[in-house]
Amino acid sequence: MLRSRAQRLRALPLRGLPGRPRSAGRRQGEENPPLSAETRWKDRAETVIIGGGCVGVSLAYHLAKAGMKDVVLLEKSELTAGSTWHAAGLTTYFHPGINLKKIHYDSIKLYEKLEEETGQVVGFHQPGSIRIATTPVRVDEFKYQMTRTGWHATEQYIIEPEKIQEMFPLLNMNKVLAGLYNPGDGHIDPYSLTMALAAGARKYGALLKYPAPVTSLKPRSDGTWDVETPQGSMRANRIVNAAGFWAREVGKMIGLEHPLIPVQHQYLVTSTIPEVKALKRELPVLRDLEGSYYLRQERDGLLFGPYESQEKMKVQDSWVTSGVPPGFGKELFQSDLDRIMEHVEVAMEMVPVLKKADIINIVNGPITYSPDILPMVGPHQGVRNYWVAIGFGYGIIHAGGVGKYLSDWIVHGEPPFDLIELDPNRYGKWTTTEYTEAKARESYGFNNIVGYPKEERFAGRPTQRVSGLYKTLESKCSMGFHAGWEQPHWFYKPGQDTRYRPSFRRTNWFEPVGSEYKQVMQRVGVIDLSPFGKFNIQGQDSIRLLDHLFANVIPKVGFTNISHMLTPKGRVYAELTVSHRSPGEFLLVTGSGSELHDLRWIEEVAVKGGYDIEIRNITDELGVLGVAGPHARKVLQKLTSEDLSDDVFKFLQTKSLKVSNIPVTAIRISYTGELGWELYHRREDSAALYDVIMNAGQEEGIDNFGTYAMNALRLEKAFRAWGSEMNCDTNPWEAGLEYFVKLNKDQNSCFAHFKMENGWVRRWAIRPQLG
């Protein structure tokens, strides 16, 4: 019986267990190539990849195949050491988001042809997968996901219990309501996959060197790097940190603290089960979402892997505080079945043949988590030519697609599609070790929870990054998390339900948000916009730089405009408001989630072009209050001697003034599309500024509104939002942004590559603010 067998195995050392699973060791006949085959050394490299797991090797393969010369991978011990060698190897087209499905798709399509291309067996099985719904809300989630599947070429279906039982006859159907079925899903042998990618990389000219631990990274003034190893040094045009759970150590070499933490993940493998052996076809991979485990066929037995709760899961926090043990590579942790027994019992109930199965192996190995469980992929802000591909909790399914994505970006100079959710620059100085651990626990424990729209997760909050209004507003509203900031989503009144109630239907915030919408449309409202990313740019080349960066013209002194940074192929990389505060001095404002994403691009262009400018990130220094609605002028006029009349303070004009003796930079703009101003001020003045505005507006019926209402208002006016109606997947014409693009600008070299694929342009009315 599984339980009694598990009890006996607790006392056994893992490395002596018989029957090591496919994904937990080296296959006969697939040994690493002899070190003598890698005796070459290069003094110069175009790209140096640090780390020989499946992600790093995939990148080496893709770069070399794309024609890049001098691709070098440095691995401290041997290929697959770390997390790759012991992975369960699951592959799936499914992802709850939209963009990452493309990564999964590219991975699977690569794995399907890799054996033919390289001659290396990869052990790829594609029996499909079924996610099981045993609650009505889970069925709702499946229906929600089906509305998103049309974005992609892959098949996905909701299937009835009868079909589920036909495909997985060993399942207890008593609680099953529906399944989400993905044909083509399955599992692959991680070791064999990595060896095949390595063979491909060598075939196309890459050098894979191991053991070659990196001991030092030194940036040079020209943007290149000196990479030191015990075998010698190498000059690299760029480096890519793909070092798995060693990535923190690599980052520390150049003064970066990557927010990563290793967690222990266990799975167990059974011996032959007669009922499994008797099957005529391989079982689809099963994911019991309420039970929080996956289960797949392993030869004639089963492999079972749970995700335990955040209270029971194990974080390897000593590796964060004291570093990874120097010799750790292909080692595992002692198994701990007590942590997962409740999941084992649920699985035995759902798949009864497990009750009499023997466990032949238990794998408890480290995988690396970022705070939000998603990897960090791309160039890092603040360090030239330093790229990362780290934090992979699901490295096998991500490896092929991420290798292609990064290769395309490096070779062509821009990301092939939007993937901002993986941007390493979504984290900042506010991402402390304590925050990282709290979020990693939460993310691991929430692996299989229902994924609602507008989901909020509360571990590790608030961070140090709160606005000056946080204490004033926290008891009046439901806060949302935005790049470390707490920002009001919606406000509640006495007697209203204040709890966080996510849903696929109308929920408790629907009526309050409707009231806030009416508040702004009919009276006047105040919103905290402090999370905006804010940059100050000045210097003798500031105008020349911005004219090169943006598709719009540069606003005159004292004015603001909406401008877009475009990629070389004419895709919308970012949208910012640009305010010309004084001759040659500009305030640039972007969305909270784009702060370092946009700053990195600006800094890179400035350095490459040799522009004489100073860029300061003043996001944390300034608070922002938005005042909007038909009575906005009347309220603010009570507090300033500056004439706010329409003739004197025009739409998109910016002025420095005082509001009740508090210095502000006032911009006549509002994302609501109504009459309004944004007031930029010292963060420490936020509470005082808010109080005087609220007091001054009592006669006009002033009140708060949050980002949910603002989003409804901007949609009504057809105001676009970067990340929704435009991103790196769209050009300005597709997004209806032609009003903001000046095709006659000499600086817009990107338009030389710009082509109208559909041969027509859709015209959108650009509505100015009322009033």
Side-chain angles (χ1 to χ4, degrees), residues 226 488 506 560 570 624 651 664:
D226 285 334
R506 288 184 180 177
T560 296
V624 188
F651 178 52
V664 304

Side-chain angles (χ1 to χ4, degrees), residues 458-509:
F458 298 97
R461 295 170 54 181
T463 71
Q464 65 193 35
R465 211 176 201 194
V466 295
S467 82
L469 289 182
Y470 178 72
K471 293 297 184 183
T472 302
L473 300 180
E474 63 171 328
S475 63
K476 302 176 182 179
C477 67
S478 176
M479 292 280 188
F481 189 75
H482 298 266
W485 296 89
E486 300 290 332
Q487 186 174 27
H489 276 175
W490 61 278
F491 288 82
Y492 31 76
K493 303 296 183 185
Q496 291 181 333
D497 185 357
T498 64
R499 287 171 290 181
Y500 171 64
R501 289 184 175 275
S503 176
F504 295 103
R505 295 171 170 80
R506 288 184 180 177
T507 186
N508 58 333
W509 54 258

Side-chain angles (χ1 to χ4, degrees), residues 6 8 94 129 158 162 235 278 424 441 456 531 541 609 620 719 732:
R8 295 199 301 273
F94 178 85
S129 76
I158 292 179
E162 294 77 16
R235 181 76 49 80
R441 284 186 174 278
E456 288 291 321
D541 289 338
D620 291 349
F719 287 179

